[in-house]
Amino acid sequence: MRPDERIGGLVQSLSKHLIHGVDEKQWERARRDFLDLGFVKVPFLAPESTKTALADEIEMLVAEHGVRREMSFKETGHTPRLMRNVRHHEIRRHGSFIPEVYASEEFREALGKVAGEPVLECPYEPERYVITELEQSGDTHGWHWDDYSFALVWVVACPPVEHGGFVQCVPRTRWNKEDPQLHRQFITRPIHSFELRPGDLYFLRTDTTLHRVYPLSGGRRLIINMGYASRADLDKRISHETMDSLWNGSREGQNA
Ligand SMILES: O=C(O)CCC(=O)C(=O)O
Ligand SMILES: [Fe+2]
């Protein structure tokens, strides 16, 4: 089979799954949890064939194009980002299935059913998809918000919860880049923690949910984050300081 036929077949399986493999109750429950907590696990949105093919491509990309980054940003209260990444333009150049999944209109419509509003391609390309590997003890994607409204995270590898790597969220919070006041957010609102396993998928309201990955004390964690915009994002003026530094290297963040 030619590579483009294989990718075409995989995209078709994903579309079929969204029509026949998900029942209304699953959408409803997911929407309720998402609106309530800003976080919901949605592993039912993709068949095994999609998850396996994405995982294989992500492993290949991180092995060949992963770059170690150790940074922190004043816009998120100097929380650490200690990780290895593959950025959007490398994934687009060397990947084949990831860009197709991201571009799938059916898949974005499925996410829109969970969000309760349209889920759009991110107008800022570096935030469309990024691979992140936490590989050393102490590695973390520290507390932050994202510039755009939604993220879908595909979990390829994750250590047992005793070794960290789970996600923590503080929903219904706002990012003031001048004065993020993280401690004030923790004191005024509860922190919710969610265990993840390989094969999990979760959907996050990233602009109003403060979130982080608990630091690793062992094992390895590998994900791809696909970022999406809301209609409201398209009217906002969004500055990209932290993401430019993390994913583009166009402005150096401070060393963590
Ligand atoms: O690794 C995760 O689960 C979250 C990643 C994340 O928050 C991000 O890439 O902005
Ligand atoms: Fe994030």
Side-chain angles (χ1 to χ4, degrees), residues 15 28 32 60 82 85 99 143 152 155 162 168 171 213 240:
S15 302
E28 268 168 43
R32 199 188 51 216
M60 177 277 284
L82 310 173
N85 295 116
W143 289 107
L152 179 72
V155 181
E162 293 74 30
Q168 297 193 293
V213 179
H240 301 112

Side-chain angles (χ1 to χ4, degrees), residues 185-214:
Q185 319 278 359
F186 303 142
I187 282 167
T188 42
R189 305 211 168 260
I191 301 174
H192 302 271
S193 301
F194 302 96
E195 184 171 2
L196 296 167
R197 297 206 169 84
D200 263 338
L201 252 178
Y202 75 83
F203 193 48
L204 192 64
R205 179 78 206 199
T206 32
D207 58 339
T208 56
T209 309
L210 177 57
H211 56 284
R212 77 152 171 179
V213 179
Y214 197 92

Side-chain angles (χ1 to χ4, degrees), residues 141 144-146 204 206 211 225:
H141 197 150
H144 68 283
W145 294 264
D146 294 331
L204 192 64
T206 32
H211 56 284
N225 182 329

